[in-house]
Amino acid sequence: MTELHIPTEARAVLDALHGRRSIRRFTDAPVTRDEIVSMLDAARWAPSGLNNQPWRFLAVQRGDPRQEALAGCTKYARIVRDAGVLVAVFLDREACYHPMKDHQGAGACIQNLLLAAHALGLGAVWLGEIVNQAEQVEQALGLPAGRYEFMALIAAGRPAQRGSSSRVPLEELLLEAL
């Protein structure tokens, strides 16, 4: 690919997009309340159909008994136990209006949260396998059955590893050459 000419003011955002990695190992250092609020605030600014903002969050900090209950809901229990904070992301069925748009919005919301964690110097990973145990997650968190649809669990903390990743070349993803 040829060198791109990108405005300087756009570089920080693009660098964050390219630099973010899934981090699955965390140190014991705590995640602060301000960092958690910053991540959640960034998540809520995601686009949504009709600006309905149907996402809801439940943050569980290290040491909360619900952390161990959530660890019992997934084969990735070690990641859940080691995280400084877990953010459960839900859709509020009473705020939803279109299944596909609401699910797409939840994905954008989660991506904002992950990018905010990266910007704050935290590591984070989007745990998807746990959605197969949505009812168990609702029970572990003490939520009423039926109102919320579980989208993902984000594990975050101070990174104890460097992430790595590779991507398919852009040319292989294009349905038509640019």
Side-chain angles (χ1 to χ4, degrees), residues 36-117:
I36 296 167
V37 170
S38 292
M39 288 187 295
L40 297 176
D41 189 53
R44 77 183 179 98
W45 279 95
S48 59
L50 297 180
N51 196 27
N52 65 335
Q53 304 170 50
W55 36 75
R56 302 296 182 263
F57 311 108
L58 200 157
V60 176
Q61 292 180 272
R62 182 179 284 137
D64 184 315
R66 295 175 295 179
Q67 184 172 19
E68 185 58 35
L70 288 168
C73 298
T74 178
K75 66 182 182 179
Y76 298 107
R78 180 199 50 80
I79 297 170
V80 172
R81 284 186 185 105
D82 291 348
V85 65
L86 301 164
V87 178
V89 180
F90 297 88
L91 287 178
D92 182 343
R93 288 185 172 101
E94 293 179 11
C96 290
Y97 89 101
H98 188 279
M100 183 175 67
K101 288 184 177 186
D102 292 325
H103 288 92
Q104 289 173 342
C109 167
I110 293 164
Q111 179 70 350
N112 278 12
L113 195 150
L114 293 168
L115 287 168

Side-chain angles (χ1 to χ4, degrees), residues 9-54:
E9 51 279 354
R11 183 55 54 200
V13 173
L14 295 174
D15 287 348
L17 289 167
H18 294 152
R20 190 213 62 80
R21 297 289 182 269
S22 293
I23 301 297
R24 295 170 177 85
R25 295 194 180 280
F26 309 103
T27 71
D28 291 335
V31 176
T32 69
R33 181 185 185 285
D34 286 348
E35 290 167 327
I36 296 167
V37 170
S38 292
M39 288 187 295
L40 297 176
D41 189 53
R44 77 183 179 98
W45 279 95
S48 59
L50 297 180
N51 196 27
N52 65 335
Q53 304 170 50

